[in-house]
Amino acid sequence: MTRPAQIHDVAARAGVSPSSVSRALNGGRHVSPAVQARVLRAAEELGYEPNLNAQGLRGQASRTVGCLVSDVSNPLYAELVSAAEARLQDEGYLFVLGNSHGDMARELALIRLFRRRRMDGLIVALNNETHPDLLREIEQTAVPLVLLDRDVSVERDRVSADHRGGAYAAARHLIDLGHRDILLVTPGHQVRPGRERMAGMESAFRDAGLAPEGLTFSLQASSIAFVFSDVKQALAGPRPPSAIVVLGTQMLAGTLSAIASCGLEVPGDVSVISIGDTDLARYAAPGITALRWDLKNVGRQAAELLLARFGGDVAPPRAVVFPMELIIRKSCSPPGSNRRGAR
Amino acid sequence: MTRPAQIHDVAARAGVSPSSVSRALNGGRHVSPAVQARVLRAAEELGYEPNLNAQGLRGQASRTVGCLVSDVSNPLYAELVSAAEARLQDEGYLFVLGNSHGDMARELALIRLFRRRRMDGLIVALNNETHPDLLREIEQTAVPLVLLDRDVSVERDRVSADHRGGAYAAARHLIDLGHRDILLVTPGHQVRPGRERMAGMESAFRDAGLAPEGLTFSLQASSIAFVFSDVKQALAGPRPPSAIVVLGTQMLAGTLSAIASCGLEVPGDVSVISIGDTDLARYAAPGITALRWDLKNVGRQAAELLLARFGGDVAPPRAVVFPMELIIRKSCSPPGSNRRGAR
DNA sequence: CGCGCGACTGAAATCGTTTCTAGGTTCCGC
DNA sequence: GCGGAACCTAGAAACGATTTCAGTCGCGCG
C-alpha cells in the first residue's frame, strides 16, 4: 500500500527528465527510440499509472462522459446505457451514471455535478422538459450533449424513437380488427414518449374516421403500483374496453394480472398490445403483440454522436430517429371472439 | 460559452484572496461572517463551480466510486447498480459504471482505469475469480473495494446472496413433492453463484438420501441462446425430467418456450422453479415458483460498506450475506399430475 | 574549419484548487 | 497603555501531470 508511482519516479528510474517521460508515453514524437524504450520499461516495472486528475487539470479533456437517466433498473434504460457505455469504453472513455429517480432536484444537481467534474460530454434523459432552471442548465452546458427522446427547446443533438409512428401502427392494427373501445394505460404525458404515443393513437383514430373519444384514459397510473387496480376498475366498468394498449413500458405486468384476476382471457375477451418488447411480452402465454425498437442502437448512436463531436464535428445539431416495429403475436383478435357465456 | 469562473474570479469580485474563498466555501471556519457572505454572493453571481480535477489533485479524495459488472442490461445487476448509485449519490459521490461483457481483458483494463482515475472506492463483480493478473490487480488496489457475490481469494469486504441455501430450499421443495428426475438449467460454474446453487442442490439430494446423479446437467447453455434448444432436447430425450430448475437468471424465458413448444404444460407435465424473481416469473401463466433475494438491499449494502470505509472504518473485512426466499406460486406439483393421454 | 540546422532533451511555467505559514488586527485584561 | 491571545486574512507552496521554450549536441554543407 505504498504511494503510487509518479512521473517523477519513472523519470528517475529511466535517468531522464519528467518531460521526456511524458513525451515517451504520450506522443512518442520528439523522443529518441533509446529513451522511449528505457521509459517504457521503467514505467512498466514501477506499474506507473498517470494520475488522471492531474492530466485533466493540465490538459482539458477528462475522457469522461456523464449519463443521466431516471433509473437504470428500468430495463429500457439498462439496455440503452449498456450499449452506450460499451461504445464509449472502446474509445477509452469513462462512463458516469446518475439516476434521477424522476426527481427534478436530483436532475439539476446531477447536471451541475457533471459540469463541475468537467465531463467531456453528456447523455441525458430529462424527466422534466420545461422547467426553466433545467433548460438553463442544459443551455449553459458547454460540452457536447445528447438528449434522449425528449422535447426540450434547446438546440442540441438528439436521439429518439418514433413513438408516434409506432403507436399509430398499433392503433391501426386494433382498429382494423374492429376494436372501437380501447383503453390506454399510460404513465402520463409529462415527457415526449408519452405525448407522441398518444398523438399517434389519436391520429390513427382520426384517419379511420373515428372520434378519438373512443379512447379511454387511465392517466392516474403514474405510479406503476396503480396499474393493476386502475385496469381492473376499467374492466369492471359499465362499458369495458375490448382492447388495451399498454403505453408504459413497465405496466404490462400489472395489466395482465388485472385481466387475469377479472377472469378474462387474452385475446378472447380483451386484446392487448404492449409498447416495449420485454421478456414478459415475448414469453407470456399467449405472446403479447408488441412494439419494438432497437435500444442498443439508440444507446450506441448517442455515444456515436458524442464521439463525433469530440472529434471536432461542428455541424448543426442532428436528430436521429429510430423506427418502431409492430411484432404481431397472439394477443389480438377481433372484439367479441369469446361469445358471451362461452366460458 | 465563456471560460467558466475560477476561484480567482470569485476572490476578485468579493475583494478577498483565493484562500479565503476556499475556506468560505468549504469549511466555513476561520472566516468572518462578513467575508463568508460576500464570497457566497460572489460565487452565486458568477455561477462558480469548483473544478473537481483540481480539487482532486490537491486534496486526495475524488469523491468517485467505480463499479464493475458484466452487464447492466442484466436486470439483476441493473437493480443492484441502481440502488448502490442512489445511496452513493446521496453522499455526493459520482458513480462510474463499467461493463466487462464477460471479457477478462476488459475487466482488467477497467480496474486499471479505475485506479488511474484515483477512484475512492470500487464495487466489483468479477467474471473470472481465479486469473492471477486479476487477483493481483485486486490485491494491489489500495482503496476500499467490495466484492459482489464472488469467491476471490483476497481479504476484502464482500456482499453475497445465500445461493446455496436458496437452492437447497428449492430442491427440497421439489423432492418433497416427489420429484426425482430434475433438470438443472445452469449458466455454468465459473462464478460463485453457479457453484453455490449447484452445491445447495446436491446437498439437498444427499440429505434426502438420494444420489445427486438424479440431477441432469445442461452446462453447455453458457449462452442464453442455447437454452431453448438444450431444454427441448432434454424434454424429448429417453428419460425426460419431471421438474426443471432454472439456475440462470436470464434463462427462464428460453426454458418456458421450450416446454411450450414440446406441447407440455406447467406444472402438469413439468414443474418449474426459477432462481431470480423476474417479471416473467411473477406474471407468467401459471406464476412460476421462484427464489427471490433483495437486490436493492445488496446494492445498498455494498455502498454502505464503502461509505463506512471512507468514514475511516478500519475493521477487518466483513462479509454480508443476504437470505433467499422461495416464493411458492403455481408452477410446481407432484410428478405425473397430467396422466398419460390426458390431453 | 566554421556555421547553421535539425533533432532531442531538460528546466520551468502552467492548470485550479487546498492548505500551511506567517503576518496583521482587534480586543481584552492587567 | 501595553502585552498577548484570538481571530482573520493574504501569500506561497503543493498536488502531478503536460507543454513551451531554450539550450545542447551532432552533422552536413559551404
Side-chain angles (χ1 to χ4, degrees):
Chain A
M1 300 265 186
T2 172
R3 172 177 69 80
Q6 303 177 4
I7 198 170
H8 181 79
D9 306 321
V10 179
R13 186 178 187 99
V16 297
S17 75
S19 37
S20 294
V21 174
S22 174
R23 277 187 299 253
L25 259 36
N26 299 324
R29 262 205 279 277
H30 297 291
V31 173
S32 66
V35 168
Q36 168 129 2
R38 277 218 310 281
V39 167
L40 254 38
R41 204 155 61 91
E44 174 69 27
E45 288 168 0
L46 291 172
Y48 170 64
E49 296 169 347
N51 181 326
L52 291 210
N53 268 329
Q55 278 186 328
L57 180 56
R58 184 55 176 83
Q60 46 278 13
S62 62
R63 294 194 77 78
T64 306
V65 166
C67 176
L68 168 62
V69 297
S70 67
D71 193 352
V72 265
S73 71
N74 177 334
L76 263 56
Y77 286 127
E79 203 166 340
L80 188 154
V81 160
S82 165
E85 193 274 341
R87 182 70 188 89
L88 288 166
Q89 194 190 129
D90 286 343
E91 302 294 325
Y93 282 84
L94 229 42
F95 186 89
V96 175
L97 177 68
N99 297 321
S100 70
H101 297 279
D103 179 359
M104 210 213 56
R106 279 198 183 217
E107 286 187 340
L108 204 52
L110 275 170
I111 295 190
R112 293 229 171 94
L113 199 54
F114 284 166
R115 287 180 37 187
R116 286 177 45 153
R117 299 288 185 122
R118 302 296 191 266
M119 301 277 149
D120 291 339
L122 260 43
I123 299 177
V124 282
L126 261 9
N127 227 268
N128 185 315
E129 296 172 317
T130 56
H131 196 290
D133 287 0
L134 224 36
L135 290 183
R136 185 150 28 86
E137 208 63 34
I138 297 284
E139 260 167 4
Q140 285 180 0
T141 300
V143 296
L145 182 152
V146 176
L147 293 165
L148 288 180
D149 224 337
R150 295 291 183 273
D151 283 333
V152 182
S153 60
V154 166
E155 283 294 310
R156 289 291 192 170
D157 288 327
R158 40 192 95 216
V159 182
S160 338
D162 181 18
H163 300 279
R164 186 188 294 245
Y168 187 95
R172 192 77 221 187
H173 182 60
L174 289 174
I175 292 170
D176 287 350
L177 283 171
H179 291 278
R180 292 299 177 267
D181 295 315
I182 302 178
L183 174 68
L184 264 34
V185 184
T186 158
H189 309 95
Q190 313 230 319
V191 290
R192 191 187 113 96
R195 283 194 305 274
E196 290 286 300
R197 290 167 187 172
M198 198 64 209
M201 288 275 150
E202 287 177 352
S203 91
F205 261 65
R206 250 184 258 102
D207 286 0
L210 300 168
E213 285 72 29
L215 299 165
T216 322
F217 294 84
S218 173
L219 293 178
Q220 62 276 60
S222 61
S223 165
I224 293 169
F226 291 127
V227 170
F228 177 83
S229 54
D230 287 355
V231 171
K232 197 160 172 180
Q233 199 173 335
L235 287 171
R239 191 181 164 189
S242 65
I244 300 181
V245 180
V246 184
L247 294 175
T249 30
Q250 293 190 287
M251 297 178 152
L252 179 59
T255 303
L256 289 184
S257 41
I259 294 172
S261 92
C262 286
L264 299 174
E265 279 178 5
V266 175
D269 301 307
V270 196
S271 292
V272 174
I273 292 186
S274 162
I275 294 203
D277 191 25
T278 58
D279 258 10
L280 183 55
R282 257 188 290 257
Y283 297 107
I288 306 294
T289 293
L291 278 168
R292 171 167 65 193
W293 67 108
D294 189 344
L295 281 161
K296 287 243 177 280
N297 221 346
V298 174
R300 206 173 319 137
Q301 186 59 238
E304 218 66 74
L305 282 173
L306 280 187
L307 289 170
R309 297 293 179 193
F310 296 160
D313 179 359
V314 290
R318 310 177 201 290
V320 183
V321 179
F322 286 88
M324 282 187 160
E325 184 191 3
L326 187 65
I327 312 288
I328 308 273
R329 297 212 176 85
K330 318 217 147 152
S331 64
C332 296
S333 64
S337 315
N338 265 13
R339 289 272 145 248
R340 195 183 312 174
R343 305 183 77 243
Chain B
M1 302 266 186
T2 171
R3 171 177 70 80
Q6 304 179 2
I7 199 170
H8 181 80
D9 306 322
V10 179
R13 187 181 186 99
V16 298
S17 76
S19 40
S20 294
V21 174
S22 174
R23 278 186 305 254
L25 259 36
N26 299 325
R29 262 206 276 278
H30 297 293
V31 172
S32 67
V35 166
Q36 167 128 1
R38 277 218 309 282
V39 167
L40 253 40
R41 205 155 60 90
E44 174 69 26
E45 288 168 0
L46 291 172
Y48 171 63
E49 294 171 348
N51 180 326
L52 292 209
N53 268 329
Q55 278 187 328
L57 178 57
R58 184 53 178 87
Q60 46 280 13
S62 61
R63 295 194 76 79
T64 306
V65 166
C67 177
L68 169 62
V69 298
S70 67
D71 192 354
V72 266
S73 71
N74 177 334
L76 263 56
Y77 285 128
E79 203 165 339
L80 188 155
V81 159
S82 165
E85 193 274 340
R87 182 71 187 88
L88 288 166
Q89 193 190 128
D90 285 343
E91 302 294 325
Y93 282 84
L94 229 42
F95 186 89
V96 175
L97 176 68
N99 297 322
S100 69
H101 297 278
D103 179 359
M104 210 213 58
R106 277 196 185 220
E107 286 187 341
L108 203 53
L110 274 170
I111 295 189
R112 293 229 171 96
L113 199 53
F114 285 166
R115 288 181 34 189
R116 283 177 49 152
R117 299 289 184 124
R118 302 294 190 268
M119 302 276 150
D120 292 340
L122 261 41
I123 299 177
V124 281
L126 262 8
N127 227 267
N128 185 314
E129 294 172 320
T130 55
H131 197 289
D133 287 1
L134 224 36
L135 290 183
R136 186 150 28 87
E137 207 63 33
I138 298 282
E139 260 167 4
Q140 285 180 358
T141 300
V143 296
L145 182 151
V146 175
L147 294 166
L148 288 180
D149 223 337
R150 295 291 184 273
D151 284 332
V152 182
S153 60
V154 165
E155 284 294 310
R156 289 292 192 170
D157 288 327
R158 40 191 96 216
V159 181
S160 338
D162 181 18
H163 300 278
R164 186 188 295 244
Y168 187 95
R172 191 77 222 186
H173 183 60
L174 290 175
I175 292 169
D176 288 349
L177 283 172
H179 291 279
R180 293 299 177 266
D181 293 316
I182 302 178
L183 174 68
L184 265 33
V185 183
T186 159
H189 309 95
Q190 312 230 318
V191 292
R192 191 188 114 96
R195 283 194 305 273
E196 289 286 300
R197 290 167 187 172
M198 198 63 209
M201 289 276 150
E202 288 177 351
S203 91
F205 260 66
R206 251 185 256 103
D207 287 0
L210 300 168
E213 285 73 29
L215 299 164
T216 323
F217 294 83
S218 174
L219 294 177
Q220 62 275 58
S222 60
S223 164
I224 294 170
F226 292 126
V227 171
F228 178 83
S229 53
D230 287 355
V231 171
K232 197 160 174 181
Q233 198 174 335
L235 286 171
R239 191 180 162 191
S242 66
I244 300 181
V245 180
V246 183
L247 295 174
T249 30
Q250 293 191 287
M251 297 177 153
L252 179 60
T255 302
L256 289 184
S257 39
I259 294 172
S261 92
C262 287
L264 299 175
E265 279 178 6
V266 175
D269 301 307
V270 195
S271 292
V272 173
I273 292 185
S274 162
I275 293 202
D277 191 27
T278 57
D279 258 10
L280 183 54
R282 257 188 289 258
Y283 297 107
I288 305 294
T289 293
L291 278 169
R292 171 167 63 192
W293 65 109
D294 190 344
L295 281 160
K296 287 242 176 281
N297 221 346
V298 174
R300 205 173 318 138
Q301 187 59 238
E304 218 66 73
L305 282 172
L306 280 186
L307 289 170
R309 297 292 179 195
F310 296 159
D313 179 358
V314 290
R318 310 176 201 290
V320 183
V321 178
F322 286 87
M324 282 188 161
E325 185 191 1
L326 187 65
I327 312 288
I328 308 272
R329 298 213 176 83
K330 317 216 149 156
S331 64
C332 296
S333 64
S337 315
N338 264 12
R339 289 275 146 246
R340 195 183 310 175
R343 304 184 77 243

